[in-house]
Amino acid sequence: MLKILLINSIIIFIGAYLLEGVSIKSFWTAVGVAILLGLINMFIKPLILLITLPLTILTLGLFVLVINAGILMLIDKLVDGFKIKGFWWAVLFSIFISIANTVLFWIF
């Protein structure tokens, strides 16, 4: 579990460095964002996915990107030192996190 937290923190930190619409204060802020993202994905996201299942099916799964962006924008409001400039930056950042997680967890 510590390995997953470290990998997600690194992904968040690098993503904030690469995308100009996302800023992060320090690596410790990235650790906090990774912890909060993990908790929200574990407890709240399944309920949101269940409630929005018809819309997700109707959009062939693309609505999950909106849900992920909304979660990142919520974390933006909750964590000091982590800022996302807008909705589309949040969508792009969530895509980056998803792709990087897939690649890194496939390698390791």
Side-chain angles (χ1 to χ4, degrees), residues 16-104:
Y17 177 76
L18 293 175
L19 299 173
E20 67 182 49
V22 180
S23 63
I24 201 155
K25 186 176 181 181
S26 67
F27 182 73
W28 294 110
T29 306
V31 171
V33 169
I35 290 171
L36 193 56
L37 184 62
L39 289 173
I40 289 174
N41 282 340
M42 187 182 304
F43 295 111
I44 298 173
K45 189 175 178 181
L47 296 173
I48 296 171
L49 289 174
L50 184 64
I51 292 169
T52 61
L53 187 62
L55 190 55
T56 303
I57 292 171
L58 185 65
T59 61
L60 302 175
L62 290 177
F63 192 70
V64 176
L65 290 174
V66 174
I67 294 170
N68 289 341
I71 289 172
L72 285 172
M73 292 179 78
L74 174 67
I75 293 172
D76 171 25
K77 301 297 182 203
L78 296 175
V79 177
D80 289 333
F82 177 64
K83 297 294 172 206
I84 299 176
K85 288 185 180 176
F87 174 76
W88 293 109
W89 284 111
V91 170
L92 189 60
F93 191 52
S94 73
I95 292 170
F96 175 80
I97 290 172
S98 298
I99 291 172
N101 270 327
T102 302
V103 169
L104 287 179

